[in-house]
Amino acid sequence: MTVSLYIALGYLFLTTAILLLNRRDFQLLESLPDNYFDRQAPSVSICIPARNEAACIERCVRTAVAQEYPKSHVYVLDDESTDGTAEIIAGLKNKFSEQLTILNGRPKPDDWLGKPWACQQLAEASDGEILLFIDADTWLEPTSVAKTVRTMGRDVLDFITLWPHQELGSFWEKVVIPLIYQALLTHLPVRYVRHPPQWLPSFLQKSLAPLFAAACGQFMAFKRGTYETIGGHRSVKYLVVEDVALAKKIKGQGFAMNMYDGRQTVSCRMYRSHQALWSGLRKNFLAGFSYNIFLFIVVGLLHFIAYLFPVLLLPFLSWSLSISMILVMAVAAVLLMLNQRRLINRWFGWNAAYCLLHPLGVAWFQLLGLQVLKDFYSGKRPQWKGRKV
């Protein structure tokens, strides 16, 4: 019991330190100076893959064509949708014929997954100097493209990714989705995404650089030459978490990248029901660990020890009339956990009351992890939007 609490406290102190460091380093995109692109502006292709996105595609496309940038064009690929997506984007084409190109996706080859196949077709059909891939469930602020292009030029970047503001509607979205951002910002020091740690020996910096690569597929912008050099989506055609794989290729081949806080620039609502939330994260969860079962189980156990064990222990310790060291350690672990979640929720504008339900969100992921392990050992492939993943 004591050893488990020491592990929990050590883990929570370390991840809290990383979170506080990232609170300073994870920056918003700066506002654009007046007339910044009057003299020169690289062309941008906004690429949107869409499969069964009738609930959100119109909002996404309308914000994409409304960009306050002089040289952008929107490409939408209908990936064999069956829910009315094609009819919606056809209607948008009639309204925005000059700013919008509609593509009908070709049948998916057996050795490709759906999203990489759609994105590869979009890249090949477009002609912009910068390729901006966004998901159909995102929407852009009017200056999103302009701020992105300026940041790429100012910071001399070949690739940029933004983590959107997540709009949370249902109960389970509010409980679960913030844990994704918490996992990112308590484990990956953002400063190392741009530059490898200086404390690493110089001969290791290049080889270990991909370990510090991360990306959010909801918003990724590449210089076209960089995208083509790393092989584009063709190089990750069979990967579920293709966004992170592309970021690792960027880092591994020595290109410059960075990631930013996308609030005030791009927003997203990832899932609109508990079923969609469960199915969407079910297909990504183990893939995010590169199917490393040992690491997956170790991290699951560590999260149980750090986030659930102290909470489960408190009711039993509270029966004691004396204050013991075990009780102090358990309370300290719970307070650290709740304060991590409180900081995340305040940072991203989410309801602070849901901080108290953080253990419920962790338990939800524990159950999802068991389901994912069952899928893996039974050989069952999860489905997403009518396709096996």
Side-chain angles (χ1 to χ4, degrees), residues 95-167:
K95 297 178 181 178
F96 306 108
S97 57
E98 294 185 3
Q99 304 111 301
L100 179 61
T101 296
I102 304 299
L103 306 171
N104 292 316
R106 302 191 300 274
K108 183 184 72 65
D110 291 340
D111 58 341
W112 285 73
L113 290 181
K115 186 176 179 181
W117 173 239
C119 290
Q120 185 65 37
Q121 292 177 79
L122 284 161
E124 292 172 357
S126 62
D127 59 3
E129 298 167 74
I130 293 176
L131 290 169
L132 170 59
F133 295 94
I134 65 173
D135 283 355
D137 54 8
T138 64
W139 56 97
L140 307 176
E141 297 302 316
T143 59
S144 295
V145 169
K147 290 196 295 185
T148 299
V149 174
R150 178 187 182 239
T151 301
M152 293 180 76
R154 184 198 62 192
D155 295 350
V156 195
L157 299 172
D158 300 291
F159 171 74
I160 184 174
T161 184
L162 305 185
W163 288 81
H165 164 71
Q166 297 292 338
E167 182 178 281

Side-chain angles (χ1 to χ4, degrees), residues 61-80:
V61 173
R62 283 184 177 275
T63 63
V65 299
Q67 288 302 294
E68 296 173 359
Y69 184 78
K71 295 177 68 176
S72 65
H73 190 83
V74 181
Y75 296 82
V76 181
L77 182 137
D78 174 38
D79 186 13
E80 300 182 320

Side-chain angles (χ1 to χ4, degrees), residues 242-292:
E242 83 294 335
D243 46 6
V244 176
L246 287 167
K248 289 183 182 296
K249 288 181 176 293
I250 292 282
K251 294 281 283 187
Q253 296 191 34
F255 292 107
M257 67 165 286
N258 207 357
M259 67 182 194
Y260 296 85
D261 182 348
R263 288 175 304 136
Q264 305 175 15
T265 303
V266 57
S267 300
C268 177
R269 186 171 181 190
M270 296 170 65
Y271 306 108
R272 295 173 179 270
S273 68
H274 183 261
Q275 181 180 359
L277 178 66
W278 181 269
S279 299
L281 295 182
R282 180 179 176 181
K283 69 179 174 63
N284 291 342
F285 202 9
L286 187 56
F289 288 80
S290 300
Y291 298 96
N292 186 324

Side-chain angles (χ1 to χ4, degrees), residues 5 7 14 25 77 88 113 118 168 172 181 253 255-256 296-297 342:
L5 287 173
I7 293 172
L14 176 61
D25 293 340
L77 182 137
I88 293 171
L113 290 181
L168 309 179
W172 285 109
Y181 278 55
Q253 296 191 34
F255 292 107
F296 186 77
I297 292 174
R342 181 184 63 85

